[in-house]
Amino acid sequence: MALAFDEFGRPFIILKEQEQKTRLRGLDAQKANISAGKAVARILRTSLGPKGMDKMLQSPDGDVTITNDGATILEQMDVDNQIAKLMVELSRSQDYEIGDGTTGVVVLAGALLEQAEKLLERGIHPTRVAEGFEIASKIAVEHLDHIAQTFDFGVTNTEPLVQTCMTTLSSKIVNRCKRSLAEIAVKAVLAVADLERKDVNLDLIKVEGKVGGKLEDTELIYGIVVDKDMSHPQMPKHIEDAKIAILTCPFEPPKPKTKHKVDIDTVEKFQTLRKQEQQYFDDMVQRCKDVGATLVICQWGFDDEANHLLMHRNLPAVRWVGGVELELIAIATGGRIVPRFQELTSEKLGRAGLVREKSFGTTKDRMLYIEHCANSRAVTIFIRGGNKMMIEETKRSIHDALCVARNLIRSNSIVYGGGSAEISCSVTVEAAADKYPGVEQYAIRAFADALDFIPMALAENSGLQPIETLSAVKSQQIKENNPHFGIDCNDVGTNDMREQNVFETLIGKQQQILLATQVVKMILKIDDVISPSDY
């Protein structure tokens, strides 16, 4: 390879034997695509299950992320191959739709690709393989409906929800506190849920974190926590029965929209201008006092003079509060966001039982707690941890638990975890293959073998003998006709996942199978890889 320049000074590369290089077509292209998909799945396979390993990801600017969340790993990996990018999209779509199972869906897709490769080598056409996988996925999804169980829960009986969230948190780095975190997640979801409509707005749940303390100090606050403090150190730090003015207009004199210039050539003119500015501040503060506000929360800043004036007029204020936080404060306190001082009225004030400033440790870190709100539909999960990476991973884990609780409120059907659902589906799909006389039966059997990859990976990551463990559990399921037997990853002493209280949501498991099958079908249908240099 050599670098040359044309008559305009533009560089171009001369490749030796360029005419002998051909692009990938047909079976070679399909094998190359399958290889890329398998490579991505292989990375995530060791992160599956409660004993799965974590990955350390270093970004180009030096930031380090430690996680075993499949969506986060693939999101932060620098992937160039187009087929590998499809696997990243697969994980992302599972995250958007369900919120959990992002690792499992990629591992299943990788297993399907591995089985597809064997079938292609035996001379079976990719279209027939794709059709067989489609038939098998429908059989598996229908069987999941058959083995699923429903449970009743309410505001008083939340134990089934907590158990399912604990299953999600078992595979995370925070599994030692999974009980308390699962309870926090369930309480948060129920606080913002509309149980009649079976709807949950997760935007009303704010997840905030602060370095310091220990994971057990994580708490649920029925209100909002803002990472701000009072604008003046001498303002009161504890306000009861607060009436809050939520402003998006700055505490400063109005500036003309056009370019302006003021010539001040005497002391008197300067004094007049200063008095005029002070009068503006006075009027603004007085307007807030007149409508009965005892706390001002402002999206913009205000200068030292305004700050000093607010303190002297006994009007506590918080500045530079973000737009999203302002919205949550307005929802929680029942207030209205006011864009102009002229529109401020007593009806637009938010109400909170208690507003307090809390200090952390020996540092100057302070946060504002707005609690006992008039409308406590907005809540905050406040996470503590030893370092920033721990807090970020806990946030991701809590997000998964929140999504699982939301999915259960939408549809209260569950299947048992620990690979039991996959083994049961595998047995059913294998049995169903005999009913199909065509070549598709090979693909259906291959799909059943791919489903076994999930429990095998769970066993392997738990330090068990994968093939022996899977064979024992599968024979136990068939012998007792019980789909609840799975891999005993935590070495409890029983394979019955019902006794271990290991649940997964039905829609999450069905979505995994459907999404993985769709992506694998798409990859199998690609028989030519054309790059921009080819045309």
Side-chain angles (χ1 to χ4, degrees), residues 210-229:
K210 198 71 155 174
V211 173
K214 54 187 186 294
L215 202 56
E216 287 83 352
D217 297 333
T218 299
E219 57 182 331
L220 175 67
I221 295 135
Y222 289 94
I224 302 297
V225 175
V226 187
D227 195 2
K228 300 288 174 189
D229 52 0

Side-chain angles (χ1 to χ4, degrees), residues 230-245 251 281-282 284-296 302 305-318:
M230 295 295 179
S231 62
H232 197 289
Q234 290 175 307
M235 284 178 179
K237 307 285 188 285
H238 192 97
I239 306 164
E240 292 184 3
D241 295 324
K243 295 182 179 65
I244 306 168
F251 258 107
F281 287 141
D282 262 331
M284 288 172 180
V285 176
Q286 194 57 46
R287 189 163 194 90
C288 295
K289 297 283 282 186
D290 288 345
V291 296
T294 56
L295 174 67
V296 172
F302 27 87
E305 192 170 347
N307 215 359
H308 177 75
L309 197 65
L310 285 163
M311 197 269 294
H312 271 278
R313 299 292 288 274
N314 294 321
L315 186 62
V318 184

Side-chain angles (χ1 to χ4, degrees), residues 176-187:
R176 65 187 175 87
C177 301
K178 64 182 177 183
R179 175 86 207 183
S180 59
L181 291 177
E183 285 174 357
I184 285 171
V186 169
K187 284 177 186 172

Side-chain angles (χ1 to χ4, degrees), residues 190-208:
L190 289 175
V192 303
D194 186 338
L195 292 177
E196 286 181 15
R197 288 172 53 217
K198 293 191 172 183
D199 186 42
V200 180
N201 183 4
L202 290 183
D203 291 338
L204 295 175
I205 302 173
K206 185 172 184 245
V207 183
E208 194 67 62

